[in-house]
Amino acid sequence: MVELMVKRLLLLILIASIWTAAGCARRQPPVAGPAAPPPGPPPAAAPAPPPRPAERVEEALPVPAEPLAEDEIARRTLDELNRDSPFKPVFFGLDSAELDEAGRSIVTANAGLLKKYPAWVITIEGHCDERGTAEYNLALGERRAAAVRTYLVSLGLAPDRIRIVSYGKEFPFDPGHTDAAWAKNRRAHFVITSK
Amino acid sequence: MHWALGLVGAVAGAVVLAAGPAPQEPAPTPPPQQPSEIAVVISGDPGTPPRYAVPDFVAMNPEAAEIAKSIAQVLWNDLAYEREFYMIPRDTYATVPAARTADQIAFPAWSELGADAVAFGSVQRTGATVRIEFRLFNVRTRQSVFSKEYTGTDANPRLYAHTIADEIHQQQRALRGVARTKLTFSSDRNRERIVGGVQDRDVKEIYISDYDGANVRRITTNRQLNLTPVWSPDARAIAYTSYRRGYPDLFVALIYQGVQQEPTKGGTQNWLPMFSPDGTRIVFTSSRDGNPELYIVNRDGSGLRRVTNHPAIDTTPTWSPTGTQIAFTSDRAGQPQIYIVGADGLNLRRLTTAESYADRPTWSPAPFNEIAFAARTGPGYDIKVYDLAGGVTRQITFGEGSNESPAYAPNGRHLAFTSTRSGRTQVFTIGRDGRGARQVTRDGSNYTPAWSN
């Protein structure tokens, strides 16, 4: 009850502040106000400039558009499951989205687990190491996740149980800058999204 | 908007100055030399740039002291940035008596210091209202060549210096300065972690700052992954990639209205938006048809159209300044390379042939006709520029850290990019000739900059 009231109060304050900010912005004149005489006597060394309106210098302030994200308490048990995942990650070669033999055997093992728990829906995250560019890696991670999904489907899993997402090089598993760290970061990571 | 305001102001300044002893051409072209005319454009010794001095502004009352001191340094920095003038270091002005009014300016002392031009500014502060009087003097003729008053609030005093700098560049050099432009970038500086993730993952939010890194403001507050922001041509909206729904999708923030738009809403994965030069369309990468391809959509979400169609990756699009062509990255030849295709999907051609890996093409504004990109040059990347007229590539950075994500300034004379040269990934700017690198961000790690008009 108290929490609800606090929430409503905060919402009111937010609306009021947005309304006030919008109102102020509207009330501002577009350019200069009326001309004002320059302070002090005109300097002698230079030709006296005729009086001119002072130019108004101003800028608007950005207003955040979104409310804060709400807590995702409902997913906590899944989080616990995912933090100690029964799925093994699949690793890739440099600049590559191809599953090698080791990769295929990991996907096969993960497929067995998915068949054992038919209610589970998963998201396969594609990740890259820092040796690719930020932009291209977003697509490469997608290709990695898609390669895993394609193989899972070929093993008989329903495509609608498998979502994919790429995080490029945004979330390295190992923040190091060594071959060993990079090898760990070029991965497809299995996340259970519902069960 | 500020730019338009500044242009009008600069022209007005020139016109009023021309109302002096004799009629005159508009700045900056020097008029034919006639004895009765005042030269508006200040020149240096033959073959050298004019030498400028910017002493502290005069505080007309004690409340103005702080602003008077700080904005002179900002103006000095702004004028130094375009490298059109030789800026005399401000710590060498001690020999010159300070002037309280313009008629006290010690021209012989400035002349002795080698100054061709000297700035004189005064600041008055009444409550939250600031009034600034500014003049630029030709030291040789002792004539004022630029004179203007400004007023506004004390919310961001740097903006007065930026405005003056842009107007001086316009009047003296017919140059569109960038002092009032802004950067946008993605940053983990708020050090928050994504809630409910499978591992500890940093939040990245979208921020804006002035071109020099000052005046940082946060644009997004969703505590998820937000990447690759770009400005609309009117600099009032930012399009970006956000994972707030668990997958990448495009969002457009109208940053001065607090309004958000979703031009590609509907469950498909979309990323790397780029506004068309007229601001009506967005080109982006999407895997909606099963593979990363380029698409164009109207800003209101209508008129979706596919541009590329190839089983390889097509991504990272950028528009040509005319909006008729798109440069992008494709790995259809094996490794990522830069290609150009018509906005209608026709006339594909490969641009980079000598690189092992190239990404993030960004097309320069006119009058330059070049495409900057990040090229693998060893363990990391460097910024290179492909000249479309000559077909030659030049290198901008040379292995100081890894350098990625180039973005042109609206006047084409500078590039923003990210570099690891100082440790974590930070935004830098650099001249298109590779000179004058400046670190813009220092807080947290900062990524994928874009430069406003």
Side-chain angles (χ1 to χ4, degrees):
Chain A
M1 186 62 191
V2 174
E3 196 189 331
L4 188 67
M5 282 175 67
V6 170
K7 274 185 180 169
R8 281 183 177 167
L9 192 63
L10 285 174
L11 187 67
L12 272 174
I13 292 168
L14 185 70
I15 290 167
S17 58
I18 290 170
W19 183 82
T20 309
C24 288
R26 269 200 305 277
R27 276 195 296 277
Q28 278 165 1
V31 193
R52 245 179 308 140
E55 180 177 301
R56 183 160 283 279
V57 175
E58 60 192 350
E59 62 182 349
L61 296 182
V63 185
E66 318 135 69
L68 299 179
E70 66 260 58
D71 283 342
E72 303 199 37
I73 295 163
R75 300 173 77 173
R76 208 163 263 289
T77 48
L78 272 181
D79 288 347
E80 283 162 11
L81 196 54
N82 282 320
R83 278 181 190 273
D84 188 20
S85 180
F87 292 110
K88 285 195 169 62
V90 182
F91 298 103
F92 294 85
L94 177 63
D95 296 338
S96 170
E98 272 180 44
L99 284 169
D100 59 13
E101 206 172 305
R104 282 194 296 273
S105 69
I106 290 169
V107 176
T108 305
N110 288 348
L113 207 53
L114 282 165
K115 286 171 180 168
K116 189 174 169 189
Y117 299 100
W120 285 9
V121 174
I122 59 160
T123 295
I124 302 167
E125 300 179 346
H127 296 271
C128 305
D129 71 23
E130 64 181 2
R131 284 183 294 175
T133 51
E135 294 87 358
Y136 175 78
N137 273 350
L138 292 172
L140 180 61
E142 225 262 352
R143 292 297 287 269
R144 286 178 175 161
V148 173
R149 179 174 61 183
T150 301
Y151 196 60
L152 282 170
V153 171
S154 79
L155 295 174
L157 280 145
D160 60 7
R161 291 181 64 194
I162 312 156
R163 300 193 187 111
I164 62 169
V165 64
S166 170
Y167 287 111
K169 61 174 172 177
E170 303 304 318
F171 297 138
F173 181 77
D174 184 331
H177 309 290
T178 62
D179 282 334
W182 292 327
K184 282 184 228 167
N185 293 336
R186 295 188 300 267
R187 70 200 191 279
H189 186 93
F190 286 60
V191 180
I192 307 163
T193 45
S194 70
K195 63 184 179 71
Chain B
M1 197 179 88
H2 294 138
W3 165 239
L5 209 73
L7 185 63
V8 169
V11 170
V15 168
V16 170
L17 290 158
Q24 194 156 18
E25 301 273 337
T29 315
Q33 285 303 308
Q34 289 176 28
S36 62
E37 282 187 335
I38 299 168
V40 166
V41 173
I42 300 172
S43 52
D45 290 335
T48 64
R51 295 164 58 92
Y52 274 55
V54 183
D56 285 354
F57 284 22
V58 177
M60 302 303 286
N61 54 355
E63 296 76 33
E66 199 184 316
I67 294 175
K69 193 167 179 63
S70 66
I71 69 173
Q73 183 64 53
V74 177
L75 176 59
W76 192 98
N77 294 345
D78 288 348
L79 292 174
Y81 193 71
E82 295 291 348
R83 289 186 273 140
E84 288 290 318
F85 314 120
Y86 175 81
M87 299 306 296
I88 303 173
R90 277 167 43 79
D91 59 9
T92 63
Y93 302 166
T95 57
V96 181
R100 283 289 303 170
T101 59
D103 60 347
Q104 293 174 356
I105 294 173
F107 287 110
W110 285 117
S111 184
E112 208 164 290
L113 202 63
D116 299 304
V118 61
F120 177 82
S122 63
V123 183
Q124 188 153 29
R125 187 182 193 181
T126 313
T129 302
V130 175
R131 174 173 291 274
I132 290 177
E133 189 189 338
F134 179 81
R135 292 183 184 196
L136 184 68
F137 284 91
N138 184 328
V139 172
R140 229 161 280 139
T141 64
R142 304 189 179 188
Q143 302 284 4
S144 164
V145 299
F146 179 89
S147 172
K148 199 159 169 181
E149 282 180 48
Y150 305 86
T151 188
T153 72
D154 61 355
N156 177 20
R158 303 172 70 90
L159 186 58
Y160 296 100
H162 293 331
T163 305
I164 293 166
D166 280 349
E167 294 190 3
I168 288 175
H169 277 126
Q170 183 63 37
Q171 190 214 28
Q172 294 289 312
R173 280 291 184 269
L175 171 65
R176 178 186 173 173
V178 296
R180 281 173 293 177
T181 61
K182 291 181 186 294
L183 299 171
T184 181
F185 48 86
S186 171
S187 178
D188 64 2
R189 62 180 60 204
N190 68 337
R191 292 174 180 81
E192 287 182 280
R193 295 300 176 100
I194 290 170
V195 176
V198 294
Q199 56 182 72
D200 286 339
R201 291 175 169 179
D202 291 326
V203 163
K204 284 180 186 161
E205 302 276 17
I206 306 300
Y207 291 79
I208 63 172
S209 77
D210 293 349
Y211 88 102
D212 56 7
N215 206 14
V216 174
R217 295 185 186 279
R218 182 169 161 181
I219 297 299
T220 59
T221 54
N222 58 58
R223 295 181 181 147
Q224 294 289 332
L225 188 60
N226 300 279
L227 304 169
T228 68
V230 293
W231 291 94
S232 62
D234 66 2
R236 298 189 60 80
I238 291 173
Y240 60 100
T241 309
S242 178
Y243 285 70
R244 78 188 64 184
R245 305 208 195 289
Y247 56 87
D249 204 356
L250 309 187
F251 290 80
V252 176
L254 306 181
I255 60 171
Y256 300 113
Q257 290 156 262
V259 171
Q260 192 164 266
Q261 300 168 336
E262 299 174 53
T264 51
K265 192 175 183 178
T268 58
Q269 303 201 23
N270 310 287
W271 63 98
L272 280 164
M274 190 72 85
F275 279 105
S276 61
D278 65 3
T280 62
R281 291 170 294 165
I282 294 172
V283 64
F284 60 99
T285 308
S286 177
S287 59
R288 58 183 61 214
D289 294 321
N291 184 53
E293 303 281 358
L294 305 186
Y295 297 79
I296 294 171
V297 70
N298 293 332
R299 211 168 137 172
D300 63 5
S302 68
L304 180 82
R305 194 156 56 75
R306 183 164 168 176
V307 179
T308 59
N309 192 344
H310 194 281
I313 289 170
D314 295 324
T315 187
T316 328
T318 183
W319 296 87
S320 68
T322 56
T324 56
Q325 290 178 291
I326 290 161
F328 67 103
T329 302
S330 177
D331 63 4
R332 58 185 67 196
Q335 288 286 83
Q337 298 291 337
I338 310 299
Y339 292 76
I340 293 178
V341 69
D344 55 6
L346 302 175
N347 300 316
L348 179 98
R349 71 182 170 105
R350 179 171 165 176
L351 208 66
T352 52
T353 51
E355 310 298 340
S356 64
Y357 185 125
D359 188 23
R360 184 61 286 177
T362 176
W363 212 308
S364 74
F368 308 108
N369 188 22
E370 56 195 29
I371 290 174
F373 57 94
R376 187 177 275 172
T377 51
Y381 293 83
D382 276 306
I383 308 303
K384 293 187 179 184
V385 171
Y386 182 92
D387 174 14
L388 285 156
V392 283
T393 301
R394 67 177 192 276
Q395 196 163 335
I396 304 297
T397 63
F398 291 89
E400 274 188 85
S402 188
N403 305 284
E404 289 189 39
S405 302
Y408 273 99
N411 68 6
R413 294 162 61 100
H414 318 271
L415 288 150
F417 63 102
T418 60
S419 181
T420 59
R421 63 184 64 186
S422 60
R424 308 177 70 167
T425 303
Q426 300 293 357
V427 176
F428 286 72
T429 64
I430 196 166
R432 63 180 283 280
D433 58 0
R435 291 173 58 212
R438 284 196 193 188
Q439 184 168 346
V440 172
T441 61
R442 291 172 200 281
D443 191 2
S445 295
N446 299 276
Y447 307 89
T448 56
W451 210 316
S452 80
N453 275 333

